[in-house]
Amino acid sequence: MSDNHLHEKNSVADLEKDSASRDDLSVIIPGDKHGWLSHPLAKSLLSWGVEERGIIPVPEEERMDTQYYKIFFVWFSMNFNILSFSSGTLGPIVFGLGLRDSCLVILFFNLLACALPAYLNTWGPRTGMRQMIQSRYSFGYFGIIIPAILNLIGLCGFNILNGILGGQALASVSTNMSWDVGIVIIFVIALLISFMGYRVLNWYERVSWFPVLIAFLVALGVGGKNLVNAQPSEPASAAAILSFASVIAGFVITYSAMASDFTMYYSPTVSRSKIFWYAYLGYIVPIALLQCLGAAAVLAAPNVPSWTEGYGSEGNVGGLLEAMLSPVGNFGKFLTVLLSLSVTGNIACTLYSICFNFQVMIPAMSKVPRYVFSIVGTVIALPLSIAGAHKFYAALTNFLSLIGYWASAYGAVLLVEHHYFRKGDFSTYDHSIWNVPGRLPWGAAAIAACILSFALIIPCMDQVWYQGPIGITSGDVGFEVAFPLAALLYIPFRKLELRYQNTQY
């Protein structure tokens, strides 16, 4: 074995451990004056490989991970699950689109929306910062609390939806298991993975996609002939297409707010294009394929009695998949269990990022070990999943549409700050000021740009619960409007902020 290979292996094994000290844990979390993290239990967790690092930036000398392909599997496994499948069913079920129109919308808008989070993945190796910490250099120490809250809501929402789907699928294989029990099992598994942190997450995401692939291939093999019998639909309207596009964009663009959480340990010398394409393909391939499959399956379901029964009147996606796999008997039930577990990879990674949003939202919480917030996130999402299990489609449609608006404006602000004001120079993200409010931007410009952009976003909405005067005729174009408008507003506001703050950045 070569020296280089040994160095790579050893560096990867130690990435999740904080560099400050193994004997003086109080150094790891600033402000821990009483050294309560030196408790034997905390030391034991570190020795077991549990990652403790929260929002503290990773120094350049500690960014040593060179296994860059792992980021592909993180995003691929997160999206290669039954939530992607179910979001594709919204085109026909909610917006009345046919298979061709649904697939064209899925492909085109995913090609567009995946670019922003994939690009923000490339910032992690250069800054060594979690995504919300990077955002302090645009939104400020206190201003970032608002995006952190919105992101926290979004991440919890994704966990709720994944929990519902996983629980439904798991319960569909047994008449003795309720949806509630299935949801609890899903969350417990995901919590264990998230609790361990970076190293275990990366390992799990590298292997968890393969059984899911087998399950979907078998479903296609035994039920694929039925997919060509999709019911014909009426010609699609522009409003329906754009409203479905808003849902599709909301599904992926919100990954922007957690993008660099998984790349901050990579070597800063890595090619940015390499990280971009690994991440981009990790998004687009599973999302587009499974969303198109979901649209095809739900359109074909009325022509297949067993599929109709499995899907039911409440839109049981897990039941539909179990029905598709039923021709192979007990093996089909086993594959349905694997499909139900496919959501655990998404929930685990989301719980991982939830930790950092709590710490940004309440800065004093940066003293609390990361893994504590994995438990908090589970406690929040688990009961809400159980409560919302019978209202899945209404929750999915409204949720995905709504979160896309703020994420689009948020991404625009980050890009303008980085390329226009900082000239693309990552050295301006000074590690020494990441937690110094007076030396970071005030954040007034970023918050004002995002809030004022909603003056036009709201009239462009076309939701079940609200239809704006523009959106009611054009369809929902809120997220398309949010990005350029927030970017344009941010430039004069930021110039004004810099003048009064009397700083270079």
Side-chain angles (χ1 to χ4, degrees):
M1 185 179 292
S2 67
D3 292 340
N4 289 337
H5 183 74
L6 283 170
H7 173 73
E8 178 179 301
K9 182 177 180 180
N10 292 333
S11 66
V12 171
D14 291 334
L15 281 172
E16 73 282 355
K17 296 182 180 178
D18 291 301
S19 64
S21 174
R22 294 298 172 268
D23 299 321
D24 184 6
L25 294 179
S26 64
V27 179
I28 298 174
I29 306 295
D32 181 34
K33 297 179 181 179
H34 303 290
W36 65 277
L37 289 177
S38 61
H39 189 279
L41 177 59
K43 289 186 175 181
S44 296
L45 290 174
L46 282 177
S47 68
W48 296 340
V50 175
E51 179 193 11
E52 187 175 29
R53 184 186 293 274
I55 57 175
I56 300 173
V58 181
E60 184 171 349
E61 63 272 15
E62 291 183 44
R63 287 174 245 155
M64 300 181 293
D65 193 348
T66 56
Q67 295 179 332
Y68 309 120
Y69 63 86
K70 292 189 298 188
I71 195 60
F72 167 80
F73 288 108
V74 166
W75 298 119
F76 185 89
S77 294
M78 277 188 71
N79 293 293
F80 199 56
N81 58 34
I82 51 180
L83 181 60
S84 296
F85 179 91
S86 67
S87 62
T89 67
L90 295 176
I93 294 297
V94 176
F95 301 103
L97 300 179
L99 181 58
R100 186 197 65 175
D101 294 326
S102 294
C103 291
L104 286 175
V105 171
I106 288 167
L107 181 60
F108 177 78
F109 282 92
N110 273 315
L111 286 169
L112 180 67
C114 288
L116 178 60
Y119 175 66
L120 292 178
N121 272 263
T122 68
W123 291 17
R126 296 299 192 275
T127 65
M129 296 178 185
R130 307 289 187 188
Q131 189 62 51
M132 281 291 128
I133 295 302
Q134 286 180 16
S135 305
R136 280 182 175 175
Y137 293 75
S138 302
F139 286 85
Y141 186 85
F142 297 107
I144 192 58
I145 292 174
I146 296 176
I149 292 172
L150 293 173
N151 193 38
L152 193 60
I153 293 171
L155 294 175
C156 287
F158 270 114
N159 280 352
I160 291 167
L161 296 173
N162 274 304
I164 292 172
L165 280 174
Q168 287 179 346
L170 194 58
S172 68
V173 302
S174 173
T175 56
N176 298 321
M177 183 184 295
S178 67
W179 286 3
D180 296 352
V181 174
I183 290 170
V184 170
I185 293 172
I186 293 297
F187 269 102
V188 169
I189 295 172
L191 173 60
L192 292 174
I193 300 167
S194 173
F195 188 89
M196 295 300 293
Y198 181 84
R199 184 182 181 186
V200 173
L201 271 175
N202 274 277
W203 171 82
Y204 184 77
E205 303 296 350
R206 287 205 300 273
V207 301
S208 63
W209 63 273
F210 188 71
V212 182
L213 174 63
I214 298 299
F216 276 118
L217 289 176
V218 172
L220 280 172
V222 298
K225 60 181 182 296
N226 296 313
L227 298 179
V228 299
N229 299 321
Q231 290 185 329
S233 60
E234 297 180 0
S237 66
I241 288 175
L242 289 173
S243 295
F244 182 44
S246 177
V247 172
I248 294 300
F251 186 88
V252 69
I253 204 169
T254 48
Y255 284 129
S256 300
M258 58 190 288
S260 70
D261 291 351
F262 302 94
T263 59
M264 60 183 281
Y265 287 111
Y266 290 154
S267 170
T269 61
V270 62
S271 165
R272 293 172 65 186
S273 62
K274 179 180 291 187
I275 296 296
F276 175 86
W277 285 112
Y278 274 142
Y280 187 81
L281 293 174
Y283 294 125
I284 189 69
V285 173
I287 292 175
L289 289 177
L290 291 187
Q291 285 180 344
C292 288
L293 178 59
V298 80
L299 281 168
N303 298 324
V304 186
S306 62
W307 293 17
T308 303
E309 182 181 357
Y311 188 61
S313 59
E314 294 182 321
N316 184 352
V317 175
L320 172 60
L321 287 166
E322 193 276 334
M324 293 175 68
L325 290 165
S326 60
V328 290
N330 289 332
F331 182 58
K333 293 183 180 295
F334 171 71
L335 293 177
T336 304
V337 171
L338 294 181
L339 287 176
S340 72
L341 297 177
S342 68
V343 300
T344 58
N346 191 295
I347 296 175
C349 284
T350 306
L351 285 173
Y352 181 74
S353 284
I354 279 176
C355 303
F356 317 128
N357 285 267
F358 272 117
Q359 293 179 324
V360 169
M361 184 176 67
I362 309 174
M365 291 295 184
S366 63
K367 304 173 185 178
V368 181
R370 174 205 61 80
Y371 45 76
V372 171
F373 296 105
S374 291
I375 300 173
V376 174
T378 302
V379 170
I380 293 172
L382 179 55
L384 293 175
S385 295
I386 293 173
H390 295 277
K391 300 177 181 178
F392 175 73
Y393 268 110
L396 179 62
T397 307
N398 295 335
F399 169 72
L400 290 180
S401 300
L402 186 60
I403 60 175
Y405 303 136
W406 85 264
S408 184
Y410 160 85
V413 167
L414 293 190
L415 293 183
V416 172
E417 172 68 27
H418 180 68
H419 290 286
Y420 186 84
F421 290 100
R422 298 180 184 269
K423 311 301 181 186
D425 184 2
F426 286 102
S427 67
T428 61
Y429 296 84
D430 185 358
H431 275 209
S432 67
I433 66 171
W434 73 273
N435 61 346
V436 183
R439 296 185 63 190
L440 289 165
W442 288 341
I447 297 298
C450 291
I451 290 177
L452 290 180
S453 66
F454 273 81
L456 187 56
I457 293 171
I458 292 173
C460 294
M461 290 181 178
D462 182 21
Q463 299 295 325
V464 175
W465 43 271
Y466 174 77
Q467 289 182 310
I470 298 174
I472 197 172
T473 56
S474 66
D476 196 312
V477 291
F479 97 91
E480 294 96 333
V481 168
F483 189 89
L485 185 57
L488 291 173
L489 289 171
Y490 183 64
I491 293 174
F493 289 160
R494 181 68 169 125
K495 286 182 177 179
L496 190 64
E497 182 178 70
L498 288 170
R499 180 181 301 175
Y500 283 95
Q501 193 173 4
N502 195 28
T503 59
Q504 184 178 1
Y505 299 109

